[in-house]
Amino acid sequence: MRCRNICIILLIFGFLTACGHFSHAPSLYEKLGGEKGIVSIVNNLTKNIGHDEQLFHYFAQSNVSRFKKSLILYLCATSDGPCQYNGDSMQQIHDGMDINERDFNHLVDLLIDAMNETGISHPIQNQLLARLVPLRKQIIYR
């Protein structure tokens, strides 16, 4: 009986010890640097757009602080962060803008530049871009 009790205790101890060895896999949000990283990406993107002759006209009449706040929430939610995006859909936002493929691709380039400026590694950039790819059909030629 005593041996059985010792075996049960050792078994329980083994399970508890094993549980401690499982590590939490970081979310994409965490890999992007959390809130600080996403804010930096959005600030860099906004700066890049502001200096870009090809795309600036799409944003010229935008409320920049609202744009930044909404994009931060959107990227946070999209990357499994603690945020909830309750704003307009991408289709609603871009209706009537008639964004062409060239301009859409250029914005993606500016986003990549913004992530590079923030120090986001290419594999992490690709993870975020893969989540944003489905938006393309909601934005182009609306």
Side-chain angles (χ1 to χ4, degrees), residues 50-115:
H51 293 103
D52 190 87
E53 291 180 21
Q54 181 178 334
L55 296 182
F56 181 75
H57 70 278
Y58 290 113
F59 299 88
Q61 303 302 316
S62 298
N63 177 330
V64 175
S65 18
R66 182 173 184 249
F67 168 77
K68 288 168 78 170
K69 184 178 177 180
S70 295
L71 186 55
I72 289 167
L73 282 174
Y74 189 83
L75 292 177
C76 175
T78 300
S79 63
D80 302 325
C83 309
Q84 231 182 357
Y85 177 78
N86 295 318
D88 294 334
S89 71
M90 289 302 123
Q91 186 169 341
Q92 290 170 320
I93 292 169
H94 298 94
D95 268 351
M97 295 179 77
D98 201 32
I99 297 171
N100 61 46
E101 193 167 346
R102 179 177 169 260
D103 290 344
F104 177 86
N105 291 340
H106 187 62
L107 180 63
V108 172
D109 289 340
L110 294 182
L111 175 59
I112 291 168
D113 291 345
M115 290 190 285

Side-chain angles (χ1 to χ4, degrees), residues 112-113 115-116 119-129:
I112 291 168
D113 291 345
M115 290 190 285
N116 284 331
I120 307 297
S121 69
H122 289 261
I124 304 306
Q125 289 181 30
N126 288 337
Q127 289 178 35
L128 179 61
L129 292 171

